[in-house]
Amino acid sequence: MPRLPVIIAALLLPSLAAASEAVDEARASAAGIHRISGKRLTLYSDVSGPEVDQLPEAFDQAFSQWCRYFSVKETKLPDWHAIGCLMKDRTRFAAAGLLPDDLPPFRHGYTSNYRFWLEEQPTDYYRRELLLHEGTHAFMFTVLGGAGDPWYKEGMAEYLGTHRWRNGRLTLGYTPRSREESLGWGRIPAIQAMVAQHRGLRWNQVMEFSDTAHRETEPYDWCWAACTLLDQHPRYQKRFRQAMRFVQRDDFNECFHRLFQKDWPNLCEEWQVMIAGMEYGYDVARAAIDFTPGGPLPAGPPPAASDGGPSDEGPYGPPPKGPKGPKGPKGPKGYGP
Ligand SMILES: [Zn+2]
């Protein structure tokens, strides 16, 4: 069922003013919580350090990239602003009135419209990834007015949370090239391990994750991979990006299925190829399969070569086109900066 248009939905949600009024700065400070501000984010944290101080800047860059990805003019959202809590000790935030006691239980992060809460993480990469994951949720909830079915909601947050942060520049939708580049994240080795244990999921199983599936970690691995495949594949990307139009609909998955109906079996096959070959720096475009059917061999005896012997190309002419060969080296893929 169609719901509110995107921008109207955003306007109806609680404003920044309403959200920030709820923060008692003196109480937060007395509880050992400090504030770090950016254009699009105010972050309250009981963790400090240079990497934490850079989080609002990363978030601001992400906001511009979310706008471009979801085809929203950033100038139409001049007042969009989120409030986040990065928490090492939850009791401090509860004492400061920053952690409402009616939030559902969560392990690493939770978002409610313009506000989100993160558990402190052992690595700089994963702390930032989690911030961008929850930020993606905040953007989709408040600007798109919804986030689709569970695989898309969590897959997009994970896809646009997975990033490269180098020399102060952020790239979203970036597949890490190594473990060192993404310490603490671990989705690629997790998929490798599950496939090795014959626990790989079929495409349809990923699409059917329930609302509660993401209480476990593994569904995040699969949903990240699904959105990575769809968004980086030369034949699927354009159609996949149409799915963002359906995020407010109850029949999101049906709409999505219609977009891919004609080559659903191919998609299922490419999924199997992807998860079987998952590795750091996995290049979806290079692994794309050419499903063009081959032509029949010519009838009759093989044509004689002009000199009476077999030609260099073999008895039936040039070999049929095989799968696309490797392409030259490319720069890092991803969305933005
Ligand atoms: Zn999430």
Side-chain angles (χ1 to χ4, degrees):
M1 173 195 306
R3 297 172 202 155
L4 295 170
V6 167
I7 298 298
I8 293 178
L11 294 174
L12 290 178
L13 288 165
S15 68
L16 163 66
S20 48
E21 273 166 24
V23 177
D24 182 335
E25 300 281 347
R27 211 171 140 200
S29 178
I33 295 165
H34 63 285
R35 186 183 68 193
I36 318 162
S37 298
K39 185 177 174 206
R40 300 295 185 176
L41 173 69
T42 300
L43 186 65
Y44 292 91
S45 177
D46 60 345
V47 186
S48 42
E51 291 286 342
V52 174
D53 291 344
Q54 291 178 12
L55 292 175
E57 169 60 25
F59 194 92
D60 286 351
Q61 292 184 30
F63 186 82
S64 299
Q65 293 178 43
W66 292 323
C67 283
R68 288 206 296 280
Y69 184 89
F70 292 108
S71 303
V72 176
K73 278 207 168 102
E74 190 169 353
T75 51
K76 299 229 175 201
L77 300 167
D79 299 325
W80 196 99
H81 196 96
I83 294 179
C85 291
L86 171 62
M87 310 180 296
K88 187 168 187 181
D89 178 356
R90 288 192 192 201
T91 60
R92 291 173 187 262
F93 290 82
L98 280 163
L99 184 63
D101 49 20
D102 58 351
L103 290 186
F106 63 92
R107 254 162 86 183
H108 294 303
Y110 180 78
T111 299
S112 173
N113 293 325
Y114 294 94
R115 300 195 68 156
F116 58 81
W117 295 264
L118 312 171
E119 278 282 329
E120 163 63 346
Q121 299 297 320
T123 66
D124 294 329
Y125 180 87
Y126 195 53
R127 180 193 304 114
R128 194 169 45 244
E129 201 273 350
L130 206 53
L131 176 94
L132 299 171
H133 176 112
E134 300 304 331
T136 306
H137 282 325
F139 187 94
M140 293 179 75
F141 294 161
T142 61
V143 178
L144 306 190
D149 276 8
W151 73 269
Y152 182 79
K153 173 178 137 191
E154 295 304 337
M156 286 308 297
E158 201 53 29
Y159 176 61
L160 293 177
T162 304
H163 66 282
R164 185 176 69 168
W165 175 248
R166 185 179 291 174
N167 302 324
R169 299 297 299 162
L170 181 78
T171 306
L172 297 185
Y174 171 84
T175 301
R177 303 294 190 263
S178 65
R179 176 182 168 275
E180 292 67 34
E181 211 182 19
S182 53
L183 286 177
W185 176 68
R187 307 241 171 270
I188 288 167
I191 289 173
Q192 289 171 330
M194 287 185 280
V195 169
Q197 295 158 9
H198 307 289
R199 294 197 295 123
L201 293 197
R202 294 191 312 276
W203 181 254
N204 287 10
Q205 291 176 293
V206 177
M207 300 293 106
E208 288 161 10
F209 276 133
S210 72
D211 284 335
T212 54
H214 291 83
R215 290 176 185 168
E216 305 297 326
T217 304
E218 292 175 0
Y220 290 96
D221 304 329
W222 299 118
C223 293
W224 165 78
C227 288
T228 300
L229 173 64
L230 289 161
D231 202 64
Q232 297 187 356
H233 194 290
R235 280 197 312 277
Y236 304 144
Q237 184 190 70
K238 197 170 162 198
R239 272 181 286 163
F240 177 57
R241 292 188 179 185
Q242 291 177 40
M244 65 180 76
R245 300 198 320 240
F246 311 133
V247 292
Q248 296 185 24
R249 294 180 63 117
D250 296 330
D251 59 348
F252 175 89
N253 260 2
E254 285 79 1
C255 296
F256 174 79
H257 191 273
R258 276 196 288 278
L259 289 174
F260 288 91
Q261 203 158 20
K262 71 177 162 74
D263 45 9
W264 192 264
N266 293 352
L267 185 50
C268 296
E269 195 166 332
E270 298 216 58
W271 168 254
Q272 293 300 333
V273 169
M274 182 198 200
I275 65 170
M278 181 53 70
E279 58 184 3
Y280 281 107
Y282 187 87
D283 188 331
V284 173
R286 274 183 77 165
I289 299 171
D290 184 353
F291 287 100
T292 311
L297 294 174
S306 55
D307 63 1
S311 78
D312 290 345
E313 291 174 336
Y316 295 100
K321 271 191 184 170
K324 283 178 189 163
K327 296 172 188 166
K330 283 190 276 186
K333 212 187 307 344
Y335 198 76

